[in-house]
Amino acid sequence: MNSSKSSTFPLKQPNATHEGGVEWNIFADLVPYRAAVAAMEDRVARIAAGTAPEAIWLLEHPPLYTAGTSAKPADLKDPGRFPVHQAQRGGQYTYHGPGQRVVYVMLDLGKRGRDVRCFVRALEAWVIATLAEFNVEGEVREGRVGVWVTRGDKPLTATGQKHEDKIAAIGIRLRKWISFHGISINVDPDLEHFSGIVPCGITEHGVTSLVDLGLPVAMNDVDVALRRCFSQVFD
């Protein structure tokens, strides 16, 4: 599943498809982070200007860490391990790498209610519906952004509670009511790579993936589920 290839990031792709006014692109090669951010910013400006449709990009990055606007320096435990990028999204430190489906979501909230909290809840609901396609019960937790799974297959914690592992992260930014950045879902990344940071500033819980949960899921399977579930939440 993991690819060593890297690509430039053209703004237009021959495999672009349109559903309900939203343009979808799937990028086959690893996409450099800075190039992706520059392309997102360009696309957001064009959506705001009315010269481009809303867009969702499905891609993977080379191994890297990103620091959101609330990142704490102490949470970067291994600063020399992978490139570290300052991200303009909300949140703290997170990891991106091969085997993780990154979903960049450029939607016009000016036409979708102008409610940021509702939008974040919709993104969470989208992930939860996607996971349900694989019989995985995703959950949200008060005070913790992202989507979690309860691990009945692990020993109870010291406090007698079931373990909870994070399977998806969410971090967005808005510009002129257009969203960018978005979601990352762990399909089959190297989970050890998360050890170089405190993921999202949370020390008492771990991370997991669909394959770690025992599901032989391919990236294409997740893409199909994401597209099928999008209309259930956003249309």
Side-chain angles (χ1 to χ4, degrees):
M1 174 175 295
N2 295 351
S3 169
S4 61
K5 297 174 66 178
S6 184
S7 71
T8 58
F9 197 84
L11 296 181
K12 296 182 180 180
Q13 289 285 298
N15 64 347
T17 59
H18 294 79
E19 295 178 18
V22 178
E23 180 184 286
W24 290 74
N25 265 300
I26 300 175
F27 296 88
D29 298 330
L30 300 183
V31 178
Y33 182 77
R34 291 188 187 279
V37 171
M40 270 196 293
E41 291 180 343
D42 176 86
R43 184 56 175 256
V44 165
R46 293 192 290 127
I47 294 171
T51 60
E54 297 176 305
I56 295 176
W57 292 342
L58 307 178
L59 54 90
E60 296 171 82
H61 286 306
L64 58 92
Y65 298 128
T66 64
T69 54
S70 302
K72 301 175 182 178
D75 287 347
L76 181 59
K77 297 161 62 178
D78 191 356
R81 187 172 191 180
F82 298 127
V84 179
H85 298 276
Q86 297 297 316
Q88 298 172 325
R89 58 162 176 80
Q92 302 188 46
Y93 279 104
T94 193
Y95 166 78
H96 294 312
Q100 181 189 73
R101 177 49 89 213
V102 174
V103 186
Y104 286 138
V105 181
M106 288 150 281
L107 298 179
D108 186 351
L109 270 64
K111 300 177 180 178
R112 295 176 178 270
R114 295 194 176 213
D115 188 327
V116 179
R117 290 185 179 180
C118 181
F119 181 60
V120 172
R121 289 195 296 269
L123 292 175
E124 292 171 338
W126 184 22
V127 173
I128 289 170
T130 299
L131 294 175
E133 295 279 301
F134 306 102
N135 296 315
V136 173
E137 184 177 358
E139 301 173 303
V140 294
R141 292 290 182 264
E142 186 70 28
R144 288 191 249 146
V145 177
V147 177
W148 302 77
V149 293
T150 301
R151 301 297 301 268
D153 58 328
K154 288 186 174 183
L156 298 178
T157 67
T159 59
Q161 304 298 313
K162 290 184 178 180
H163 274 277
E164 293 179 349
D165 287 344
K166 192 168 191 175
I167 195 166
I170 296 174
I172 63 166
R173 186 177 180 185
L174 298 181
R175 182 174 296 160
K176 296 182 178 180
W177 287 103
I178 311 298
S179 69
F180 58 120
H181 295 281
I183 299 166
S184 60
I185 301 174
N186 295 333
V187 181
D188 188 20
D190 186 337
L191 296 178
E192 201 278 328
H193 288 177
F194 284 89
S195 67
I197 57 172
V198 177
C200 301
I202 297 170
T203 58
E204 65 270 29
H205 300 286
V207 292
T208 190
S209 68
L210 288 168
V211 171
D212 182 55
L213 292 173
L215 300 168
V217 177
M219 196 67 72
N220 181 65
D221 299 326
V222 175
D223 293 344
V224 170
L226 281 165
R227 296 187 69 154
R228 181 163 49 232
C229 294
F230 180 81
S231 61
Q232 299 174 15
V233 176
F234 288 97
D235 291 347

